[in-house]
Amino acid sequence: MNADDPVSDLTPLEAAAEWEALAGEIKDHDKAYYQNDAPRIADADYDALRRRLEAIEAAFPELKRPGGPSEKVGAPPAAGFKKVAHARPMLSLGNAFGDGDVIEFIARVRRFLGLDEDEAVEIVCEPKIDGLSVSLRYENGEFVLGATRGDGTTGEDITENLKTLSDIPMTIRDAPEILEVRGEVFMTRGDFETLNQEQEKAGAKVFANPRNAAAGSLRQKDPAVTASRPLSLFAYGWGEVSEPVADTHWDFLENLRGWGLPTNPLAERAADTEDCLRFHLQVEERRQDLDYAIDGMVYKVNRIDWQERLGQVSRAPRWAVAHKFPAEKAETVLNEIIIQVGRTGSLTPVAEFAPVTVGGVLVSRATLHNEDEIARKDIRIGDTVIIQRAGDVIPQVVSVILDKRPRGAKPYKFPDKCPECGSHAVREEGEARRRCTGGLVCPAQAVERLKHFVSRNAFDIESLGAKSIEDFHKYGLIITPFDIFFLKGRAVEICERDGWGEKSLNNLLRAIEERKTISLERFIYALGIRQVGQATAKLLARQYGSFKTWRDAMIEAKADDSEDYADLINIDGIGSAMAKDLIEFFDEKHNLNVVNDLDKELTVEDFQAPDTSSSPIAGKTVVFTGTLETLSRAEAKTRAEALGAKVAGSVSKKTDYVVVGADAGSKAKKARELGVETLSEQAWLKLIG
Ligand code: IVH
């Protein structure tokens, strides 16, 4: 066998033998590089091995194995970088897809701030750079720490790599003592093309798009490699600062430039919504001519005091929004429709098509949402379809080109059995999706629940990736989340699994050990109860305070006439459908057993309310009713919660205060009947100081 022989000359037997040899060799190099930090060959030679393996797999697809070396990503595991807790979270942005969403964004800002009609809201419009966000920390003018965004709360320390970017000054003058600058690292299209040509010449990895190239270049273990890559930066925000950075965002951008940090030259100030929309159009027209990828415009409320009042919802600020550009489209042939089974059993049809580049990214799959969507668009296997991709969202099939439909193509028949476990898949009235009724016997559901359990915003066990979960589940190493905490006893079996060695196992066991103490809100979220996302998990944690109080209340709430049920649906943000899912979850004995077992093994920390010890309304339950004059309802709620109060939707004996605005109706009356203290808006403001 000679590695230069064309793959097509190989007999199946030769191909299999060479594949086996290559896979073994790659595995050894992976171990040397990722686990022992001691690569034994040059990157280019390593990549050549991988390319040979991929070529063989392309010609002999039967050799491909799930979890085999060709499916493993080349990037070093995150474990290679030190974690950094961000002093202030790195937020993401809400999206606006059309003019209507932008109008609504500004209207919402106005409502929240309670602005008069004649008061203008100035907006700064900046291009949304398609790169990677980073945080740059300066102390006394010295660049001391650079980090990736990570999950927004914790990122990775890439200081040494960032130091190699000429756009990042190592020292700045006249800056606050502590200054965290946030910005986007990217690669220009020109630099990307040149880099790929060089990579190709060197027989090294070719990147799919500038964003991937930037990401790969930033996450290098060796800063010298990063230094050799052409990376750029636009700065646009701040994190922790020891003194105010400016009065307006616009002035802040100017300060950034003064400190030697590049900002995007296309930023503009807009006086109103129409102005924003005009800039959006203008920049979109120039989009193809720009030397860097952008995927929309970001609108930011200019006044920083207003930004502060607006605050954030979940992980996105209320004072900013990303107005995306329309999706880019492409044409391809639909080869297959596969059915994916989600964590709560819902069946999602996915289109598999001939790979095609859309908006600079090669895609071969798109979601078809549900069976009605397939019927409505009459999508058939073999059809030529138009697909689109907008930003990071999963590509979608927009329509079918009927003229190109092959003869004999039949309407798609949606399965009524779960493809994974064969159980009936039923569609309840009012539901868009069919759901597998297999529950705990369905391996697909179990695997998805496990993936959710270890995911970033839940238990965050990074080294248990999707592939390992599938593999460990298949071989009985992890059946329920509880088993994760007993992997220590299965070390020998784990080391036998592909890709696992002593070092990676030790890293995993350490990560698991660290996660044995977990906040109540993360714990609730990790359970993967239908409809219970992060925001709801937090609401529940805030309301019930401790794991046991929550669990007992959910069990008691089964009786709809119980006080616990009334309390549950009285939480502002929890409706009867969500309550039903929570109650059903606890009513399932297996679930309760797993939850109780977990409780025994773990330390679920009580909800950490912000320090409100000096707050006069800490722990009190408040109901707002009627129209408030100086505060919008949303702002009133946010402030009350920030001061440690719970905001409820209706009045009961447990309510401490009812804040009565103009034209209040039955709630004010009920408060008087129950003898609950009512306050005018002024009295309330005085109370909270
Ligand atoms: S502002 C709290 N401005 O978009 C404000 N973000 O989808 C959050 N991004 O994580 C960010 N260009 O990586 C902002 N001009 C810009 C941006 C920008 C790109 C990225 C950033 C952020 C993501 C949110």
Side-chain angles (χ1 to χ4, degrees):
M1 261 174 300
N2 182 330
D4 296 328
D5 286 347
V7 170
S8 53
D9 285 351
L10 297 176
T11 65
L13 223 59
E14 282 169 345
E18 191 179 344
W19 187 95
E20 211 50 72
L22 281 168
E25 213 174 324
I26 291 174
K27 202 173 149 191
D28 288 346
H29 287 309
D30 279 347
K31 214 166 170 174
Y33 182 78
Y34 296 133
Q35 295 173 17
N36 307 334
D37 280 342
R40 291 201 302 246
I41 52 170
D43 282 1
D45 296 333
Y46 172 82
D47 286 334
L49 291 178
R50 272 187 174 279
R51 274 185 300 143
R52 177 77 182 167
L53 181 104
E54 277 157 24
I56 293 177
E57 286 186 349
F60 301 91
E62 66 278 10
L63 293 174
K64 231 175 156 154
R65 286 188 210 156
S70 65
E71 287 197 357
K72 288 194 196 123
V73 281
F81 292 98
K82 233 177 38 208
K83 301 250 172 183
V84 202
H86 297 303
R88 276 185 65 180
M90 289 181 76
L91 302 177
S92 56
L93 289 168
N95 287 327
F97 288 105
D99 295 0
D101 289 349
V102 179
I103 295 169
E104 176 49 28
F105 161 69
I106 295 184
R108 204 172 52 225
V109 166
R110 302 191 70 92
R111 275 200 305 275
F112 191 97
L113 295 171
L115 298 183
D116 286 342
E117 256 170 52
D118 51 0
E119 188 142 24
V121 179
E122 198 173 41
I123 299 288
V124 174
C125 311
E126 292 168 8
K128 184 168 186 298
I129 316 298
D130 193 9
L132 297 120
S133 47
V134 293
S135 184
L136 313 171
R137 188 177 171 93
Y138 291 88
E139 286 177 7
N140 299 313
E142 296 290 325
F143 176 60
V144 292
L145 180 68
T148 62
R149 177 175 184 277
D151 64 359
T153 310
T154 311
E156 287 160 9
D157 181 343
I158 51 163
T159 314
E160 294 309 312
N161 293 353
L162 286 172
K163 278 184 183 168
T164 70
L165 267 71
S166 57
D167 279 348
I168 301 179
M170 289 300 100
T171 50
I172 53 182
R173 273 206 258 162
D174 303 327
E177 208 175 298
I178 294 173
L179 169 68
E180 266 181 24
V181 173
R182 305 261 160 100
E184 201 83 352
V185 169
F186 63 96
M187 196 178 279
T188 66
R189 291 187 220 270
D191 286 338
F192 166 70
E193 296 295 337
T194 320
L195 172 67
N196 260 358
Q197 280 163 15
E198 284 167 3
Q199 293 282 105
E200 201 161 357
K201 249 193 258 155
K205 182 186 158 129
V206 172
F207 296 101
N209 55 49
R211 189 178 187 281
N212 285 1
S217 304
L218 262 192
R219 302 182 80 255
Q220 289 291 331
K221 284 196 165 173
D222 179 1
V225 179
T226 311
S228 73
R229 303 278 172 82
L231 294 169
S232 308
L233 169 96
F234 282 132
Y236 52 64
W238 67 93
E240 190 186 1
V241 281
S242 53
E243 57 189 84
V245 283
D247 289 337
T248 63
H249 187 74
W250 188 254
D251 290 346
F252 169 67
L253 292 177
E254 195 172 302
N255 288 341
L256 283 173
R257 289 187 289 272
W259 292 321
L261 284 146
T263 64
N264 190 284
L266 301 176
E268 290 271 9
R269 265 174 302 182
D272 50 26
T273 315
E274 280 89 76
D275 255 9
C276 291
L277 299 177
R278 201 151 32 81
F279 289 137
H280 189 261
L281 264 182
Q282 272 172 15
V283 176
E284 195 194 341
E285 276 167 13
R286 296 183 55 184
R287 185 182 183 191
Q288 292 311 324
D289 305 328
L290 294 177
D291 198 22
Y292 46 88
I294 59 174
D295 52 6
M297 293 292 278
V298 184
Y299 303 140
K300 300 176 179 175
V301 169
N302 195 20
R303 270 178 64 166
I304 293 174
D305 58 336
W306 282 356
Q307 291 186 1
E308 278 163 4
R309 272 178 65 193
L310 285 155
Q312 69 192 66
V313 228
S314 275
R315 305 170 141 260
R318 276 197 200 84
W319 49 267
V321 77
H323 185 189
K324 295 301 189 72
F325 291 132
E328 296 184 71
K329 296 193 168 72
E331 192 181 307
T332 183
V333 175
L334 182 99
N335 293 328
E336 192 61 82
I337 295 177
I338 57 161
I339 305 289
Q340 283 179 346
V341 185
R343 127 177 96 82
T344 56
S346 61
L347 306 192
T348 306
V350 175
E352 284 194 335
F353 40 74
V356 61
T357 305
V358 208
V361 179
L362 193 69
V363 290
S364 54
R365 279 180 167 204
T367 172
L368 292 169
H369 301 293
N370 54 52
E371 56 186 304
D372 288 351
E373 172 96 351
I374 302 180
R376 191 167 57 77
K377 294 183 177 158
D378 188 17
I379 297 168
R380 304 183 184 189
I381 292 168
D383 271 342
T384 297
V385 292
I386 304 280
I387 59 157
Q388 71 173 24
R389 189 182 150 266
D392 290 338
V393 263
I394 316 162
Q396 292 173 316
V397 174
V398 189
S399 58
V400 171
I401 305 179
L402 286 176
D403 291 348
K404 296 193 180 172
R405 172 164 286 168
R407 271 211 251 148
K410 293 198 185 59
Y412 179 74
K413 196 173 168 317
F414 203 90
D416 55 9
K417 296 241 164 60
C418 170
E420 299 283 342
C421 70
S423 305
H424 288 291
V426 295
R427 189 168 164 193
E428 279 174 36
E429 222 179 278
E431 296 265 332
R433 302 246 169 125
R434 245 171 223 278
R435 211 169 277 284
C436 160
T437 53
L440 291 167
V441 306
C442 179
Q445 286 187 46
V447 165
E448 292 310 311
R449 270 198 299 267
L450 288 168
K451 285 183 194 165
H452 174 81
F453 189 84
V454 299
S455 64
R456 202 143 74 165
N457 298 319
F459 271 75
D460 189 22
I461 306 176
E462 205 173 4
S463 34
L464 264 184
K467 286 264 172 319
S468 300
I469 290 279
E470 281 161 23
D471 189 53
F472 285 16
H473 184 263
K474 195 162 153 197
Y475 290 94
L477 288 164
I478 307 177
I479 301 298
T480 77
F482 187 54
D483 301 326
I484 293 172
F485 300 96
F486 291 91
L487 286 177
K488 210 191 269 173
R490 324 258 328 230
V492 179
E493 288 155 276
I494 294 174
C495 285
E496 280 168 5
R497 314 290 330 141
D498 224 17
W500 288 92
E502 203 182 320
K503 190 152 180 193
S504 51
L505 173 69
N506 283 341
N507 283 341
L508 171 65
L509 295 178
R510 190 164 4 96
I512 293 173
E513 208 52 43
E514 278 169 13
R515 296 295 182 273
K516 278 192 167 172
T517 299
I518 188 148
S519 69
L520 177 59
E521 61 208 89
R522 266 182 187 263
F523 182 75
I524 297 177
Y525 173 71
L527 296 177
I529 303 169
R530 239 174 111 188
Q531 301 198 61
V532 179
Q534 278 178 279
T536 307
K538 191 160 184 185
L539 274 181
L540 291 165
R542 183 198 300 272
Q543 177 73 22
Y544 294 100
S546 77
F547 164 71
K548 290 200 173 56
T549 315
W550 175 59
R551 177 200 57 195
D552 294 348
M554 295 303 98
I555 296 169
E556 293 301 324
K558 191 179 165 190
D560 342 336
D561 57 353
S562 65
E563 210 171 302
D564 285 296
Y565 181 76
D567 285 347
L568 177 60
I569 56 165
N570 199 20
I571 302 174
D572 203 3
I574 297 201
S576 55
M578 213 182 265
K580 183 167 168 265
D581 286 331
L582 279 160
I583 291 163
E584 277 178 9
F585 178 88
F586 279 93
D587 201 28
E588 184 70 65
K589 208 159 177 275
H590 307 280
N591 289 338
L592 189 59
N593 287 344
V594 170
V595 171
N596 283 336
D597 285 347
L598 283 171
D599 174 47
K600 273 186 228 127
E601 199 53 34
L602 309 175
T603 308
V604 182
E605 292 175 324
D606 290 352
F607 180 71
Q608 293 285 330
D611 182 17
T612 50
S613 43
S614 58
S615 158
I617 57 164
K620 304 279 188 207
T621 301
V622 191
V623 172
F624 292 99
T625 179
T627 315
L628 304 179
E629 261 169 30
T630 57
L631 296 172
S632 70
R633 190 63 81 74
E635 189 171 12
K637 183 174 176 220
T638 316
R639 272 217 218 167
E641 284 176 350
L643 289 167
K646 297 172 201 158
V647 179
S650 62
V651 181
S652 72
K653 275 183 292 186
K654 293 189 180 153
T655 314
D656 295 292
Y657 300 113
V658 176
V659 182
V660 183
D663 302 323
S666 60
K667 287 183 195 169
K669 190 164 157 242
K670 184 149 184 212
R672 282 190 292 273
E673 280 166 15
L674 293 174
V676 174
E677 188 171 346
T678 59
L679 296 172
S680 68
E681 187 177 343
Q682 274 64 38
W684 166 253
L685 289 174
K686 208 165 148 210
L687 174 69
I688 64 174

